[in-house]
Amino acid sequence: MSADDSRFKEIAFQGGLNLLLADKTEASTSTDSRNSAGKSSLVELVHFLLGASGSTRNPFTKRALRSITFGLDLDWPDVTETLKVRRSGARPAFVTLQPDVTAPDPDSLFALETQGQVEVAIEQWNHLIEQKLFGLRDDHPGVSGRTLLSYLARRVSAHGFNEAGRTFSRQPAADATTNLAYLLGLDWQLADGYRQLAARDATRKQLRKAVNDPVWGQIVGSTADLRGQIALAEAQVERLQGQVAAFQVVPEYEHLKDQADELSRRIKQLSQDDVIEQYNLDELQQAVIETVDVDTQYLQPAYRELGIVLSDQVRRRFQEVEAFHHSIVRNRRRFLNEEISELTARLAERRTERARLGEEQAQLLRQLDEGGALEALTSLQQALAREQAALGALRHRYDAAQTLESSSRQITAKRIQLQQAVETDLDEREQQTSEATLLFSRFAQALYGPREAFLAIQAGRESLTITPRIDSDNSRGIGNMVIFCFDLTLAVLAHRHGRGPDFLIHDSHLYDGVDDRQLKAALQLAADVTREENMQYIATLNTDDLAKATRLGFDAEPYALQTILTDAPTGGLFGFRY
Amino acid sequence: MITPTKGIAPDRCLLAVGAQALLQLDEPRTVSQTWARLKAWRREHHHYSPVSFGWFVLSLDVLYGIGAVELHDDLLVVRNADAASLEC
């Protein structure tokens, strides 16, 4: 393990047991501390390099460390040289791999192209880890390489040492056991059924809550309400469909309409003309009466006066003037009579015209009333489509509501079904379960002697439960050793069957409060088992804790790493305190 | 009658009405048309004293008597004063 910062303590791990020690320097005072020397940071760093999320909470993306590029050299399946992994907090979304192990075709006849380095996104790196280290194939809902890795390198920061079955304190049981089942060689897909059911149940509860809410409830609604709404919408759709079917498209609707308008305009004009001519007619008739009334009695005195007033101007004799007078009056009367008969004829003609136009207009209007234009049909069809869409949406909501109301029963039924299936599966997998239990009890007995120790694997109601038990009182130290044995069992089984990498990392916190004798036995056991299984066990320890074990005859010499962390300001893993 | 008297207002005397009728005869016109135009003219020029059709015909008679108008093909035509004197 390395970094491009010279203050970083490079660490070279070996096969079998590795002990990274934190020592007190001679110069250290009573207020110095080996806390935060970097023992736990080692675990964090392993996670960082093996694809932990580069979120802002990760210490390696914080200011003090982000400029440093950390490196890990590890054995990698399919390549002969060691794989160099480099990642820096400044570019947390990528890791650099050398050689390039991202060959697209694992079945290629040719050896992997091992030249050069390649930068891959962190998601792809995780994918590679899942494939190559944990042997996961493409699709594996519920099992994640990150969670699996958390069992092999528990994190103090995530409270990984509280419970054997969980890698962080609030991990849902169903999530945890799915991953455990994978490591132990149980049917993880069955175990994942619990997780899916739990997810469904959670969704159902949320929805249930939403439905009960007065506002949000309207989005789905109850089946009873929806049934009524659907009936209404269906009736509406049917009504519109009937209208569309009965609809007659009148060709040239616009044209007909224009004609009708024109007709009504003409009828109006005719009436106006009538009024005028009727008035004229009255006038004329009046004038006829006037003409008749005019008598000739004035003519003679007028002519006589003409002789007096304008005697020298008079050119006509009285008879001539009289003849002129009569011809004018006769003319006038004839003219008026002609005019009157003409007007009367026109009025009569107009009356018939008006009647004809009225009939024509009525016919047009009837035609327009019975049918409609193409646009009207189109808009009718649009309304129909809208109603149909609304009906479809209602039906969906009805389905959703029905599912919601019946899902609670379904989930319960599925749970019982699943429980049965898992139970049967566990019975049939006796070999795997007994292998795990035997291994666990062997480890436990190595620590605590002939006590009853077993792995309880049960098909529970809510999840598959995998509980390691060592028969004893519930002390913290024993609890930690249970985790130790459990993790060792997991790691050995996973590695044996190609489901996991060959390392297990334990932080010194695991040994807090553990009796000296068990500490010694645990280290001895780890050394023996890793040798047998060709694995690697890395533990961080304070020197005085190790001293307890060595006092009891544990030979730490071959296992202690060259690199020793100290409580001096530059003695930590990173060479500086941050 | 022809000229204004005590009983006949100046705008009603036959000479005045005849003169007004002549104003309407800038072209040969029918009797009715002349009568209609005369009435309109009188309204326009605020001559509100009543003039009946008979009175209008009398004024035309006067005009004919002095040879100012003639009836040709049912149309009233103004006679040129020179032409009238030539004819006599």
Side-chain angles (χ1 to χ4, degrees):
Chain A
M1 182 170 292
S2 60
D4 66 355
D5 187 300
S6 60
R7 294 170 290 182
F8 184 81
K9 303 284 183 297
E10 272 192 30
I11 308 172
F13 299 107
Q14 58 203 11
L17 178 60
N18 291 269
L19 295 175
L20 177 65
L21 299 175
D23 203 359
K24 281 188 274 195
T25 50
E26 284 169 19
S28 63
T29 66
S30 57
T31 54
D32 281 335
S33 169
R34 281 168 298 181
N35 294 346
S36 85
K39 301 189 296 291
S40 303
S41 295
L42 176 75
V43 180
E44 295 291 343
L45 188 52
V46 167
H47 273 286
F48 180 66
L49 285 163
L50 291 181
S53 87
S55 74
T56 46
R57 277 182 310 170
N58 193 310
F60 299 100
T61 61
K62 298 233 168 92
R63 183 128 54 101
L65 297 175
R66 60 180 300 156
S67 58
I68 306 175
T69 302
F70 295 97
L72 177 68
D73 297 358
L74 73 161
D75 292 330
W76 191 257
D78 304 340
V79 287
T80 46
E81 27 182 335
T82 54
L83 173 65
K84 292 177 168 43
V85 183
R86 299 287 178 271
R87 189 182 183 193
S88 127
R91 295 193 69 213
F94 295 94
V95 291
T96 307
L97 301 179
Q98 188 189 21
D100 180 3
V101 290
T102 61
D105 185 8
D107 299 326
S108 168
L109 287 174
F110 304 100
L112 279 171
E113 176 63 52
T114 54
Q115 297 301 311
Q117 61 180 38
V118 66
E119 194 173 64
V120 302
I122 208 71
E123 292 80 15
Q124 196 188 351
W125 176 223
N126 274 324
H127 192 63
L128 277 172
I129 290 173
E130 286 176 351
Q131 263 186 345
K132 296 295 182 186
L133 291 189
F134 293 102
L136 281 166
R137 281 176 304 281
D138 279 343
D139 206 19
H140 45 79
V143 177
S144 100
R146 299 284 328 130
T147 313
L148 294 175
L149 196 63
S150 297
Y151 281 106
L152 301 180
R154 288 176 189 263
R155 289 205 261 192
V156 184
S157 62
H159 307 289
F161 293 111
N162 286 0
E163 236 181 294
R166 292 183 179 173
T167 59
F168 57 94
S169 55
R170 295 181 62 87
Q171 190 175 27
D175 281 13
T177 48
T178 306
N179 288 286
L180 279 179
Y182 180 77
L183 285 177
L184 287 174
L186 306 176
D187 191 329
W188 60 271
Q189 274 156 326
L190 268 182
D192 188 47
Y194 282 115
R195 191 185 61 82
Q196 287 168 0
L197 277 181
R200 265 185 70 183
D201 202 29
T203 313
R204 190 192 66 81
K205 279 181 184 144
Q206 293 293 328
L207 272 175
R208 187 76 255 172
K209 246 187 243 166
V211 169
N212 289 339
D213 182 282
V215 176
W216 291 106
Q218 290 169 1
I219 291 175
V220 176
S222 77
T223 48
D225 291 353
L226 286 171
R227 217 175 280 131
Q229 284 175 14
I230 285 175
L232 281 182
E234 273 172 346
Q236 174 79 351
V237 165
E238 218 164 284
R239 195 173 60 75
L240 279 173
Q241 268 169 344
Q243 275 184 13
V244 168
F247 195 86
Q248 285 180 324
V249 179
V250 174
E252 300 184 355
Y253 181 89
E254 289 302 323
H255 183 62
L256 284 181
K257 214 172 69 162
D258 289 348
Q259 271 184 336
D261 286 351
E262 172 67 24
L263 279 181
S264 74
R265 224 181 356 260
R266 270 171 66 190
I267 290 173
K268 212 162 142 197
Q269 183 63 45
L270 283 179
S271 310
Q272 277 173 5
D273 291 353
D274 264 10
V275 170
I276 294 168
E277 301 215 326
Q278 189 65 50
Y279 176 78
N280 283 348
L281 187 62
D282 292 347
E283 285 255 298
L284 285 174
Q285 275 161 348
Q286 187 64 39
V288 169
I289 297 167
E290 274 177 7
T291 317
V292 171
D293 279 349
V294 169
D295 50 30
T296 51
Q297 68 182 26
Y298 272 123
L299 189 56
Q300 231 167 348
Y303 187 75
R304 213 182 302 127
E305 200 181 318
L306 193 62
I308 298 163
V309 178
L310 297 167
S311 54
D312 54 334
Q313 296 287 324
V314 177
R315 310 265 168 102
R316 307 283 182 190
R317 276 178 299 153
F318 178 69
Q319 278 81 8
E320 281 179 295
V321 173
E322 194 177 22
F324 174 77
H325 179 92
H326 284 296
S327 87
I328 279 189
V329 170
R330 197 176 52 249
N331 251 327
R332 161 79 170 166
R333 192 174 305 136
R334 202 190 64 220
F335 171 78
L336 284 180
N337 280 334
E338 270 172 21
E339 193 90 321
I340 284 171
S341 61
E342 208 172 298
L343 267 183
T344 320
R346 259 214 307 271
L347 279 171
E349 190 186 320
R350 222 174 262 146
R351 235 188 327 274
T352 55
E353 166 91 351
R354 216 169 37 214
R356 193 179 60 75
L357 289 180
E359 179 58 33
E360 201 172 320
Q361 192 191 30
Q363 199 178 341
L364 273 180
L365 288 179
R366 232 182 351 263
Q367 209 168 352
L368 290 179
D369 191 40
E370 278 166 6
L374 200 58
E375 299 105 84
L377 178 64
T378 316
S379 65
L380 202 60
Q381 276 168 336
Q382 272 170 355
L384 175 64
R386 223 174 11 248
E387 284 297 326
Q388 274 171 336
L391 178 62
L394 275 177
R395 287 208 175 115
H396 274 300
R397 278 172 56 190
Y398 179 72
D399 287 348
Q402 213 175 22
T403 315
L404 186 61
E405 281 173 18
S406 63
S407 67
S408 141
R409 287 190 297 278
Q410 277 179 359
I411 289 175
T412 313
K414 275 259 170 65
R415 276 231 169 89
I416 292 167
Q417 234 174 355
L418 184 63
Q419 199 174 353
Q420 189 64 47
V422 171
E423 206 144 350
T424 317
D425 187 72
L426 285 178
D427 280 349
E428 287 166 9
R429 274 179 196 263
E430 217 192 324
Q431 187 135 18
Q432 276 85 358
T433 51
S434 65
E435 186 186 11
T437 307
L438 284 177
L439 207 56
F440 179 75
S441 79
R442 187 194 128 197
F443 295 157
Q445 282 173 6
L447 263 59
Y448 288 103
R451 282 201 206 193
E452 201 179 326
F454 58 90
L455 277 180
I457 304 178
Q458 261 182 338
R461 235 179 83 74
E462 304 281 332
S463 75
L464 175 70
T465 57
I466 300 171
T467 327
R469 295 288 299 274
I470 294 180
D471 187 25
S472 75
D473 53 357
N474 255 343
S475 91
R476 161 109 184 139
I478 290 180
N480 279 354
M481 283 303 98
V482 168
I483 293 178
F484 170 81
C485 293
F486 185 61
D487 285 359
L488 200 55
T489 309
L490 289 178
V492 166
L493 279 180
H495 181 242
R496 256 187 210 170
H497 299 286
R499 287 189 299 265
D502 58 355
F503 59 84
L504 175 64
I505 305 176
H506 273 154
D507 191 53
S508 60
H509 285 79
L510 184 70
Y511 300 103
D512 287 352
V514 174
D515 187 281
D516 300 357
R517 284 156 295 178
Q518 271 73 51
L519 176 63
K520 181 232 164 194
L523 293 178
Q524 190 62 54
L525 178 67
D528 293 346
V529 169
T530 48
R531 198 182 311 115
E532 277 171 35
E533 303 281 341
N534 194 18
M535 288 174 68
Q536 203 176 23
Y537 179 79
I538 301 167
T540 57
L541 272 182
N542 285 337
T543 38
D544 36 8
D545 284 334
L546 180 65
K548 291 186 213 160
T550 44
R551 262 204 310 279
L552 292 169
F554 177 67
D555 181 13
E557 195 56 41
Y559 308 121
L561 294 172
Q562 304 248 313
T563 313
I564 290 176
L565 307 177
T566 68
D567 57 356
T570 58
L573 179 65
F574 301 108
F576 60 95
R577 300 263 162 132
Y578 60 90
Chain B
M1 241 165 113
I2 292 177
T3 51
T5 60
K6 188 174 75 178
I8 294 175
D11 64 339
R12 244 190 111 230
C13 73
L14 289 180
L15 268 186
V17 174
Q20 289 162 5
L22 276 180
L23 282 178
Q24 315 309 324
L25 288 171
D26 47 348
E27 268 177 40
R29 290 188 197 282
T30 61
V31 178
S32 295
Q33 194 49 230
T34 314
W35 170 226
R37 288 180 70 112
L38 174 71
K39 280 197 286 187
W41 187 92
R42 286 181 67 85
R43 258 200 308 282
E44 257 173 56
H45 292 83
H46 311 290
H47 298 299
Y48 295 117
S49 43
V51 170
S52 71
F53 183 70
W55 199 256
F56 162 69
V57 177
L58 273 183
S59 76
L60 287 182
D61 291 342
V62 170
L63 291 179
Y64 179 74
I66 61 174
V69 293
E70 276 185 4
L71 197 62
H72 278 302
D73 301 332
D74 294 344
L75 293 180
L76 289 172
V77 182
V78 179
R79 271 193 59 137
N80 197 306
D82 299 338
S85 56
L86 273 178
E87 200 178 283
C88 294

